[in-house]
Every structure is written in structure tokens, then in C-alpha cells.
Amino acid sequence: MSKPKLFGISGSRALRAIWGIEEVGIDYEHVPVTFGADSKEADYLTVNPNGRIPALIDGDLQLFESMAINLYLTRQYGGALYPQNTNDEATALQWSFWGITEFEPLQMQIVVQKLFTPEDRRNPKIVEGASKGLQRPLKVLDAVLENREWLIGEHFSVADLNVAAVMHLMKMIDFGYAEHSNVQRWADACYARPALARALAKS
Ligand SMILES: N[C@@H](CCC(=O)N[C@@H](CS)C(=O)NCC(=O)O)C(=O)O
């Protein structure tokens, strides 16, 4: 069988899945499709009809959505990165959905303002509102991490991977977690993982 193919450049949400595949440590082909014109080409649209990155092909499986890709990769190849019982598996799903529903939309408002909007057209109220809104999920995460190092069990798992991967964009806008020291400690530990460094080194 041919190697799994992972589509998408690291300077995008595809980083989440490149980090995931680097964590599981399998041999794979990286196809650096950008989120511009090449993600709208006919060939790529047969892989991800949404015209977005990342996407994965592994044997007969074609998959889009970064959280789903990481859940699949860790279940299939990740050993202890994937929860070993139904309760922990449900918790990993919970955190993955939480990341992209409770955190990402607010985070993206700030990212769009700070990274993609010319300075003279930025609206500080949007950044202020989203930053305030983020305090709610951050408080939740901080409380959960109060007496534990990782989101599930005693070691880094796909739950940490998916949530930290979603939150990774906050690093690019220097959004710190000063009031949420448990989040800061956990984020520092996640972002120190060699697999992330390898993922960031990809085009
Ligand atoms: N929910 C998707 C989001 C993917 C996504 O929006 N990717 C962006 C790059 S950061 C993209 O491909 N944008 C191209 C477009 O929207 O046309 C996931 O997590 O995989």
C-alpha cells in the first residue's frame, strides 16, 4: 500500500494535521498545497471538495477536517496518543469539538484583525470583544488543568494535540495566558514537543 498523503502547508490550519502525523511518527508524503489557487484545482477538489487544507489520503480513506484527521491518525497509528477506553475517547472528542467551536471562532476574529486586516481598517472593538469572549473557554481550560498536567490521563494525547493545535494561532498574535497560568504551563509543554518543531519546519 502507498504511503499516507497529507495535503497542506504548515503556515495554515494544515499545521494541526502535520503536527498530528509527526506525533504518530509514520512515513508519509507531504503535499504542500496552499490555501490559494492550488486548493481550488480540480484534482485537489476530488480530495477535499471544500477547497480547504488540510486533507489526508490513506489507502481507501479520504478525509478532511483537521480534528478528524488527527483523531484518525492517532487511533490508527498513535498507540497511547489515542484513548484506550470509551470514556477517555468521548473526552477526546469533547475537547476536539470544544476547540473548534468554543475557541476557534473567537480566536479567528482576533487573527483576522491582527494578521489580515490593514492597520487603518482594523476595528479594535472586535479584538476587545473576542478577547473578552475567550476568557470563558480559557477559564474552563485553566480550571481543568489545575490539578493535572494533561487533558486526559497521565500523558499527552490527541485531546491535548487537537486543542493546542487549534490554539497555536494565538502564538502568532502574541496572545498570552497571564491570567491562566495552568493554560500557559500546559501550552508551553505542548509547544515544546519535537513533533511540532518538525511540523513547523515543513513548507
Ligand atoms: N475546519 C477546517 C478549516 C480548514 C481551513 O479553513 N483551512 C484554510 C487554511 S487555514 C483554507 O484552506 N482556506 C482556503 C479557503 O477557505 O478557500 C479544518 O480544521 O480542517
Side-chain angles (χ1 to χ4, degrees):
M1 200 165 82
S2 52
K3 294 189 229 182
K5 270 190 192 178
L6 184 62
F7 300 79
I9 53 167
S10 60
S12 74
R13 288 177 180 89
L15 175 69
R16 300 168 180 175
I18 305 174
W19 182 3
I21 205 162
E22 288 289 339
E23 284 287 351
V24 301
I26 54 170
D27 194 18
Y28 69 102
E29 183 184 342
H30 178 225
V31 188
V33 171
T34 69
F35 48 81
D38 34 333
S39 63
K40 312 297 177 291
E41 281 183 7
D43 276 1
Y44 183 71
L45 290 174
T46 65
V47 181
N48 185 352
N50 298 288
R52 296 190 205 274
I53 49 173
L56 175 80
I57 297 180
D58 188 14
D60 292 339
L61 177 70
Q62 289 198 180
L63 207 55
F64 50 78
E65 286 300 328
S66 54
M67 301 290 99
I69 292 171
N70 282 348
L71 287 160
Y72 165 73
L73 286 170
T74 52
R75 181 166 197 259
Q76 186 75 344
Y77 303 111
L81 283 172
Y82 194 82
Q84 305 297 305
N85 64 60
T86 309
N87 287 11
D88 285 352
E89 182 179 49
T91 307
L93 293 172
Q94 166 201 277
W95 282 116
S96 303
F97 289 127
W98 180 89
I100 50 164
T101 57
E102 298 290 326
F103 205 92
E104 179 163 39
L106 291 161
Q107 162 179 270
M108 283 314 290
Q109 289 182 28
I110 305 176
V111 168
V112 166
Q113 285 294 311
K114 293 204 167 168
L115 299 183
F116 299 112
T117 308
E119 216 164 331
D120 58 329
R121 290 179 49 202
R122 287 184 196 156
N123 181 347
K125 286 215 163 86
I126 294 180
V127 174
E128 204 182 301
S131 304
K132 209 170 152 198
L134 278 174
Q135 298 312 305
R136 179 152 136 180
L138 282 171
K139 261 192 199 162
V140 170
L141 189 57
D142 201 60
V144 165
L145 291 167
E146 172 84 52
N147 293 313
R148 53 187 315 129
E149 206 174 338
W150 306 108
L151 291 173
I152 298 172
E154 302 298 319
H155 57 81
F156 180 87
S157 75
V158 66
D160 304 291
L161 168 68
N162 274 349
V163 174
V166 167
M167 290 169 66
H168 190 260
L169 271 174
M170 301 306 266
K171 268 177 92 68
M172 288 171 65
I173 51 169
D174 294 325
F175 189 101
Y177 305 115
E179 290 166 40
H180 307 285
S181 58
N182 301 312
V183 174
Q184 188 68 64
R185 170 185 41 78
W186 164 86
D188 289 346
C190 292
Y191 298 146
R193 297 202 47 103
L196 174 60
R198 291 196 297 275
L200 286 165
K202 298 262 169 189
S203 53

